[in-house]
Amino acid sequence: MSLQHPVEKIVTRYWPHKDQNTLKGYKSRGGYQQLAKALGQEPAAIIDAVKKSNLRGRGGAGFPTGLKWSFLPKDNPKPKYLCINADESEPGTAKDRFILENDPHSLLEGIGIACWALGAHTCYIYARGEFKHPSAVLDKAIAEAYADGIFGKKLLGKDFELNVYQVRGAGAYICGEETALLESLEGKKGWPRLKPPFPAVVGLFGCPTIVNNVETISTLPALFEKGPEWFANLGSGKSGGNRLVTLSGAVNRPGTFEVGMKTTLKELIYAEEYGQGLPPGRAVKGVIPGGSSAPVLTADELGVAMEFDAFKPLNSMAGSGGVIVMDDMCCMVRSLWRVVRFYAEESCGQCTPCRDGQPWMTRILRKIEEGRGTREDLETLQHVATSMAPYPPIGLGNTICALGDSGALAVHGFMKFKREFEQHIEEKRCPFGERPWGAFGDFQ
Amino acid sequence: MSDDKKPTAPAPSAAAPASGVPATAPAPIAGAPQSTSKPGAAVPPPPPAPGAKPPPKNPGMVTFTVDGKEVVAKPGTNMIEAAKQVGVEIPYYCWHPRLSIAANCRMCLVESSTSPKLVPACQTAIAEGMAIKATSAKVQEQQRAVMEFLLLNHPVDCSICDQAGECKLQDYYMRYDHKSSRLERISGIEDGPGMKVLRNKRKVLGPTVVLDQERCVLCTRCVRFMDEVAKEPQLGVFGRGSHERIDVHPQFGELKSNYSGNTVDICPVGALLNRDFRFRARAWFLSAAPSVCTGCSRGCSTFADFMGQDTYRYRPRENEQINKSWMCDQGRLSYKSLNKGRVLQSVIGRGADAREAGRAEAVKYAAAKLKPLVGSVAVAASPVASNEDLMAGLTFARDVLGAKSVYVSGRPAGEADHFLMMADKNPNRRGLESIAKALGLNVEKFEKLSAAVEGGQVKALYAIGAEMPDAGFAAKAATLELLVLQATNEDALTAQAQVLLPASTHVEDEGTFTQEGGITQRFRRAYPPKGDAQPHWKWAVELAKEMGGSLAWSSSREVFRMVAPTVPELASFEWDKQAPVNIKQGISVPAASADGRPPGWREFGAPRVKGI
């Protein structure tokens, strides 16, 4: 299968060069020139350009980045902060990790541009605790940038102080939620904050703060190189540029790929450049399109483009771009159990519905998978999920942050395969027997 | 419940004429469900206001509706409190008016015209024209769901839980849930216990508080109290998700704070328990009398919870000026002296001659001993006694005993702390000084009396209250020819009295205290005086009568009405109006149940009485 809309690579374009993660290699391909150019412009002009480019947050919610930046109050005398969310822990997602490993300087250059635009003199990169290697690469890149006089008292020679620090998390998924991230940065327990006020007004240490995803910021150098109009045209609708997606599951070629906003899920799974289809004899049963919190899509819904708004009519979401393909040998009850177990484990425990609901759903799912389930259990499961977050549409959750929604949405989504759940109950066993993981199980 | 299916449609039109709301008011309410309940309305719906923002209906105030009833509240009022104004109760666990907002229990979720989601009433700011639905089917379903979540792993051990009877889980279960658990049963046992998550049932947090982690709903009120009010951040939430638990931060080891008892008070469930009160009484048998703590000169407002003629605990009573909603542990435990070590019988004579006597005999004896010494009797008064006691006692001292000055006794000074506790451990020093001054008596330091007794200048002493700042005074008092002592509790000094008259404590009579800030507070009588005890004022009146004086007061109220007008500090205090009236009446305990023991009494190892 060939692509209908060829993709011009932006973020991943220099990844094949092994020296791209060094300052020398990065500079040899035009690195830090966009920062120099941006420092010659007014901050307001940069924010306008980002607005014009239709760049949207790549962390999961797809919020327009330029709009987010413009929420930063102008007249607040407190210092402003930029936080980079590198706490990538959504199951099925591994894109920021490769940016940090392959092209850390694109992130640092983007940080320079963003901080200049926002007037922030300090930037924290909150990296996931398990990112041992990516963190080491990033640390080296930061040290190189300081040594080269890019960061420090003068940003690339301009009289603008910018300090960049990397902070490592301690392995909590919830710290990827922006306000929990801020709490964790402040040295507190990673509990999401009540909103409003939003971080742009009261954020890190009570100061105005912008939290952006790694991919969002590392796109900036390319965006300014080619111009915001070009960037906007590259995408479709209100989503500019390309996206990184991580393809995993029952495909022949799993991995992290750069796709266009017009690329469809089907193309992603079957195209030569991407997934190269499923193993012989297997067919798609369901696809999780954006990390495990996104409601699952069936095989009939794969024509959807990888653009942020395109998933809305299907009551799913583009999320963080973690595409998980499940084939016809994969037990959906088992899969859902695994997904919900993750959320039960990672719930921060602040709100009642999520703290008590996620483990309960896990137990019900285990019961069904082990053949002890009843029809009432299935009803209870849906009832519990609805109590945590009614569906559709997405976004009606009853908890402080969206983690409560995530587990509930997974349950709601998997109800597209209700028949399979009923089969478990009727047969009092898992119909897939000892190997419920489908093609996942084939990879050792 | 009957309008479960269509709760919103008839409500606005029906409510509008009844409550006199102008015809324009119901419009946003009727519009709200349409804009919020549509599935397509994921994005916040545009406000229905056409064009510019309309001016507020009541200038300076916020006007909005709750269940169709119009609420006018000050800007910044909490929605839960605002809804209370029109009689709508929004349930909550984690919210507390004196703590920061956590919004984590999700019990107070309501429907709002400003959001497609349910919003927490505790956190959402009230806004002009907002329409809140606090009892719609959607909200009720959410309340039921939260209750189910909270009770999922709850041990439901109400029968041995001290909180039973004043537990929000119990109350809300009856009102908002009332369903049986859907938790998986232990296999093979159809009606057996659910497979609940087990936790530590007896985690001793510190000297005063014990935690039952299974009952905890993790509202974090206790953590926030220690952080924000006590300013001793010793408690924290540990773990994550369903493994989460409240515990003491490791660097502290144990919860050691003079305010730890308040965490028990604000715990909405039976998780945090006071080790002093644990397993001692069922809440519904306790009556509560509004009272004042006598532990120090702060004079925190309290409830004295009592059953029969025993006080079981103090609880802080809300008082914006003095103690807000809190009290210290030292004051909290000071109730014990009301029950233990009391002087309950008059004693005549000293040492080997001492013998118990009736009230009348004791008064006669004291009067006979005092009469020849009139004019030379020194008078000591304790600032632990109430204003009424002091008014009568000092009037008797001045008019009958011919005293010119009064020596101020009282408890020795102790430690003060950063919040409520004062160094002066006497509740009524201000009252004593102002009364003595008004009666024309010189207020003398206790040291002077101590020296005079030692030097032999003072041979006879009439003392109101046995609390003495000097522990060595009892030995000196042994040299006194006459000591007439009105005492509540036994101590070294009571053994030296020639005439020991049992005085009642503050919970056994009505009266007032004037605390260090000059605020006078009334306290109520909980139960009649124990034993032969009677109030100081009554002893004074009886002594005066016996000695030919003219005091003829029959109640503390009368004492106040007769004397207070002459005391400038107390003249404006309206005794009758300042009475806190919210007395909680416990289920009255019959003298004995069928087996001769009070109800609820269980003796370990004692056989159950057959037939009941």
Side-chain angles (χ1 to χ4, degrees):
Chain A
M1 190 176 177
S2 60
L3 293 181
Q4 211 172 353
H5 302 279
V7 177
E8 186 181 347
K9 288 184 178 174
I10 313 173
V11 184
T12 60
R13 59 193 161 158
Y14 298 128
W15 284 14
H17 302 281
K18 286 295 152 213
D19 64 344
Q20 180 69 7
N21 61 14
T22 63
L23 183 65
K24 199 171 148 233
Y26 186 70
K27 275 198 161 171
S28 73
R29 292 176 200 96
Y32 288 107
Q33 284 175 12
Q34 299 313 313
L35 176 57
K37 215 165 81 185
L39 290 175
Q41 293 179 33
E42 282 297 308
I46 297 174
I47 296 179
D48 277 344
V50 173
K51 271 188 192 166
K52 226 182 286 170
S53 73
N54 286 345
L55 175 64
R56 292 174 71 165
R58 301 293 200 249
F63 196 80
T65 305
L67 190 61
K68 196 185 224 181
W69 287 7
S70 63
F71 289 155
L72 212 62
K74 304 267 179 307
D75 47 0
N76 196 325
K78 288 179 176 171
K80 301 180 181 80
Y81 293 105
L82 175 68
C83 290
I84 304 299
N85 189 344
D87 191 68
E88 178 184 57
S89 13
E90 180 76 18
T93 312
K95 60 186 180 64
D96 299 342
R97 170 194 166 168
F98 289 113
I99 295 175
L100 295 182
E101 284 180 4
N102 294 327
D103 204 355
H105 283 285
S106 69
L107 172 66
L108 297 182
E109 188 175 358
I111 287 171
I113 298 170
C115 285
W116 168 245
L118 298 169
H121 294 279
T122 311
C123 171
Y124 293 99
I125 304 169
Y126 189 91
R128 178 181 172 178
E130 291 89 339
F131 274 2
K132 201 176 173 200
H133 178 55
S135 272
V137 177
L138 181 62
D139 264 341
K140 203 170 141 237
I142 294 173
E144 280 178 332
Y146 267 102
D148 201 49
I150 296 167
F151 296 145
K153 286 270 171 219
K154 287 187 176 199
L155 176 60
L156 212 65
K158 194 169 174 95
D159 196 18
F160 183 86
E161 186 175 349
L162 176 60
N163 288 302
V164 179
Y165 307 96
Q166 184 184 193
V167 180
R168 297 280 298 275
Y173 169 74
I174 189 61
C175 291
E177 201 275 347
E178 61 175 0
T179 53
L181 185 149
L182 297 179
E183 288 281 299
S184 178
L185 264 180
E186 290 180 7
K188 299 177 190 156
K189 191 175 162 65
W191 270 10
R193 293 179 183 169
L194 302 176
K195 283 164 275 184
F198 289 93
V201 184
V202 181
L204 188 62
F205 306 117
C207 303
T209 306
I210 294 292
V211 184
N212 277 138
N213 182 256
V214 171
E215 189 191 339
T216 316
I217 295 297
S218 60
T219 310
L220 290 177
L223 189 158
F224 282 98
E225 187 187 327
K226 304 278 177 80
E229 289 82 10
W230 172 85
F231 192 85
N233 288 335
L234 202 60
S236 72
K238 283 183 193 160
S239 315
N242 291 338
R243 299 181 63 199
L244 279 185
V245 296
T246 311
L247 184 63
S248 62
V251 287
N252 286 326
R253 187 169 169 252
T256 298
F257 306 111
E258 184 165 357
V259 297
M261 293 292 178
K262 290 169 192 152
T263 312
T264 62
L265 257 183
K266 196 166 212 151
E267 286 171 337
L268 176 68
I269 295 168
Y270 291 102
E272 263 322 288
E273 302 90 319
Y274 300 138
Q276 297 177 356
L278 274 70
R282 300 280 167 88
V284 173
K285 186 196 272 182
V287 176
I288 295 175
S292 58
S293 6
V296 66
L297 301 178
T298 60
D300 308 332
E301 296 169 319
L302 299 186
V304 61
M306 296 299 289
E307 192 245 329
F308 289 100
D309 296 327
F311 287 91
K312 246 180 209 155
L314 300 176
N315 282 317
S316 186
M317 56 188 187
S320 57
V323 178
I324 304 171
V325 181
M326 288 167 284
D327 67 282
D328 53 359
M329 297 284 283
C330 176
C331 173
M332 297 310 259
V333 181
R334 189 79 169 208
S335 308
L336 179 59
W337 175 21
R338 187 65 197 85
V339 168
V340 177
R341 216 173 97 199
F342 173 81
Y343 290 110
E345 194 59 45
E346 294 296 340
S347 165
C348 80
Q350 200 177 183
C351 308
T352 307
C354 177
R355 180 184 65 228
D356 290 322
Q358 310 271 25
W360 192 12
M361 294 199 301
T362 313
R363 292 167 71 166
I364 297 172
L365 283 163
R366 176 179 175 177
K367 203 178 157 193
I368 296 174
E369 170 66 11
E370 291 179 351
R372 298 181 285 118
T374 59
R375 286 190 184 279
E376 289 79 57
D377 284 329
L378 199 53
E379 261 167 50
T380 308
L381 179 69
Q382 284 172 279
H383 205 171
V384 173
T386 309
S387 306
M388 288 161 64
Y391 173 87
I394 292 173
L396 295 183
N398 290 325
T399 48
I400 292 173
C401 78
L403 195 144
D405 301 41
S406 299
L409 288 181
V411 172
H412 286 308
F414 272 76
M415 283 305 136
K416 287 173 184 167
F417 303 95
K418 199 167 178 180
R419 184 68 211 117
E420 216 173 296
F421 286 75
E422 287 166 351
Q423 223 176 328
H424 278 73
I425 293 166
E426 286 158 9
E427 296 181 18
K428 295 196 187 305
R429 68 182 182 106
C430 175
F432 296 89
E434 290 300 302
R435 295 180 59 203
W437 298 117
F440 289 104
D442 294 348
F443 302 118
Q444 287 302 317
Chain B
M1 281 300 183
S2 59
D3 55 352
D4 244 8
K5 280 190 178 164
K6 274 189 177 175
T8 53
S13 51
S19 60
V21 181
T24 49
I29 315 159
Q34 287 156 13
S35 59
T36 54
S37 58
K38 269 190 186 159
V43 252
K53 232 164 113 186
K57 209 167 162 190
N58 298 290
M61 304 291 264
V62 178
T63 312
F64 67 107
T65 61
V66 178
D67 289 342
K69 294 174 199 159
E70 192 177 78
V71 187
V72 184
K74 276 188 198 154
T77 310
N78 193 284
M79 195 188 288
I80 292 176
E81 282 180 335
K84 245 180 231 167
Q85 291 175 13
V86 291
V88 177
E89 200 191 324
I90 300 173
Y92 57 86
Y93 288 101
C94 67
W95 180 72
H96 190 283
R98 299 195 192 275
L99 299 175
S100 65
I101 290 167
N104 61 23
C105 73
R106 314 312 277 181
M107 191 65 194
C108 67
L109 292 181
V110 292
E111 273 188 80
S112 163
S113 59
T114 55
S115 168
K117 300 196 331 175
L118 296 178
V119 296
C122 63
Q123 181 209 353
T124 309
I126 54 172
E128 185 72 26
M130 194 183 220
I132 299 295
K133 283 192 272 177
T135 48
S136 67
K138 205 168 150 192
V139 172
Q140 284 180 355
E141 165 54 23
Q142 191 55 34
Q143 288 164 343
R144 188 210 58 77
V146 171
M147 283 308 301
E148 188 173 24
F149 287 138
L150 289 177
L151 288 169
L152 197 63
N153 290 309
H154 188 86
V156 203
D157 52 351
C158 305
S159 51
I160 55 156
C161 179
D162 282 308
Q163 191 83 0
E166 38 190 31
C167 173
K168 281 203 166 185
L169 272 176
Q170 283 184 333
D171 297 348
Y172 287 172
Y173 172 75
M174 301 308 283
R175 206 176 304 164
Y176 301 109
D177 187 2
H178 221 281
K179 299 252 171 29
S180 51
S181 174
R182 291 188 287 177
L183 189 70
E184 188 182 350
R185 304 279 133 183
I186 291 172
S187 62
I189 310 169
E190 199 53 42
D191 293 323
M195 293 173 72
K196 291 179 177 176
V197 176
L198 303 180
R199 297 189 178 88
N200 193 345
K201 267 202 87 63
R202 185 178 172 275
K203 165 86 194 170
V204 177
L205 293 188
T208 48
V209 181
V210 60
L211 168 67
D212 185 330
Q213 290 175 346
E214 289 188 344
R215 294 178 189 155
C216 180
V217 295
L218 285 159
C219 66
T220 69
R221 272 185 179 190
C222 50
V223 178
R224 282 176 284 145
F225 169 81
M226 292 307 292
D227 286 2
E228 297 161 14
V229 181
K231 303 260 187 318
E232 293 167 310
Q234 300 176 3
L235 290 180
V237 182
F238 295 83
R240 199 171 63 197
S242 57
H243 318 297
E244 214 164 43
R245 67 221 171 267
I246 302 285
D247 211 334
V248 186
H249 283 298
Q251 69 262 38
F252 295 103
E254 59 177 2
L255 178 64
K256 226 174 175 179
S257 160
N258 196 21
Y259 295 92
S260 59
N262 294 301
T263 61
V264 179
D265 290 336
I266 58 174
C267 182
V269 298
L272 289 170
L273 301 166
N274 198 314
R275 294 178 76 184
D276 178 63
F277 179 70
R278 199 166 180 233
F279 298 143
R280 288 198 53 222
R282 307 309 331 235
W284 51 87
F285 286 133
L286 293 177
S287 306
S291 189
V292 175
C293 175
T294 56
C296 78
S297 58
R298 174 75 69 176
C300 294
S301 298
T302 60
F303 282 114
D305 283 359
F306 64 96
M307 176 162 60
Q309 273 184 307
D310 279 311
T311 301
Y312 279 76
R313 63 177 174 184
Y314 281 161
R315 280 180 299 131
R317 180 161 54 92
E318 195 158 330
N319 188 327
E320 194 60 44
Q321 287 174 295
I322 299 171
N323 58 321
K324 305 280 190 282
S325 302
W326 322 115
M327 72 185 294
C328 73
D329 285 0
Q330 201 190 53
R332 190 182 291 270
L333 295 179
S334 69
Y335 79 90
K336 291 189 172 181
S337 64
L338 306 178
N339 304 334
K340 282 187 182 164
R342 289 285 302 278
V343 177
L344 296 176
Q345 188 74 44
S346 308
V347 179
I348 297 172
R350 183 191 279 170
D353 301 334
R355 65 177 178 87
E356 292 186 348
R359 279 182 195 163
E361 189 190 357
V363 168
K364 247 189 197 116
Y365 182 85
K369 288 273 186 186
L370 282 169
K371 216 153 194 183
L373 300 167
V374 164
S376 65
V377 180
V379 173
S382 163
V384 179
S386 71
N387 284 327
E388 291 69 13
D389 289 336
L390 294 166
M391 285 171 187
L394 296 182
T395 308
F396 161 70
R398 184 191 64 178
D399 295 355
V400 180
L401 296 181
K404 296 278 179 295
S405 56
V406 56
Y407 298 97
V408 179
S409 59
R411 299 173 186 144
E415 269 179 62
D417 71 6
H418 62 286
F419 186 28
L420 291 174
M421 195 166 73
M422 310 295 289
D424 181 5
K425 300 296 176 197
N426 300 289
N428 200 25
R429 190 176 295 277
R430 282 280 289 258
L432 168 59
E433 284 168 1
S434 51
I435 291 166
K437 214 179 284 165
L439 292 177
L441 293 165
N442 296 324
V443 178
E444 303 276 12
K445 283 214 161 81
F446 184 79
E447 289 75 39
K448 220 168 155 187
L449 173 70
S450 198
V453 170
E454 206 168 20
Q457 292 96 328
V458 168
K459 294 256 187 280
L461 178 66
Y462 167 67
I464 305 166
E467 301 86 5
M468 298 293 158
D470 175 9
F473 183 73
K476 295 172 194 166
T479 64
L480 283 169
E481 279 173 21
L482 176 63
L483 171 59
V484 177
L485 181 61
Q486 295 171 191
T488 56
N489 290 70
E490 284 170 357
D491 62 11
L493 187 64
T494 54
Q496 303 300 336
Q498 248 92 5
V499 186
L500 178 62
L501 305 173
S504 62
T505 58
H506 70 291
V507 292
E508 295 165 356
D509 190 30
E510 302 217 21
T512 56
F513 285 127
T514 305
Q515 53 95 263
E516 45 91 27
I519 301 168
T520 303
Q521 298 180 84
R522 231 190 101 175
F523 52 85
R524 288 285 202 162
R525 180 162 112 154
Y527 44 84
K530 286 186 165 194
D532 256 1
Q534 59 181 13
H536 290 298
W537 66 261
K538 205 162 186 187
W539 285 119
V541 167
E542 287 182 3
L543 284 171
K545 215 184 272 175
E546 196 63 34
M547 292 172 72
S550 60
L551 305 188
W553 300 319
S554 60
S555 68
S556 52
R557 176 173 181 268
E558 202 178 340
V559 175
F560 192 92
R561 285 171 66 87
M562 299 307 284
V563 184
T566 64
V567 185
E569 285 85 346
L570 298 174
S572 62
F573 184 80
E574 292 175 280
W575 210 79
D576 292 331
K577 285 190 186 167
Q578 302 283 334
V581 286
N582 47 345
I583 299 175
K584 176 201 146 202
Q585 192 63 53
I587 296 173
S588 63
V589 186
S593 57
D595 60 348
R597 299 178 301 192
W601 171 262
R602 290 287 178 273
E603 222 171 311
F604 287 116
R608 289 279 186 108
V609 178
K610 278 179 189 168
I612 47 170

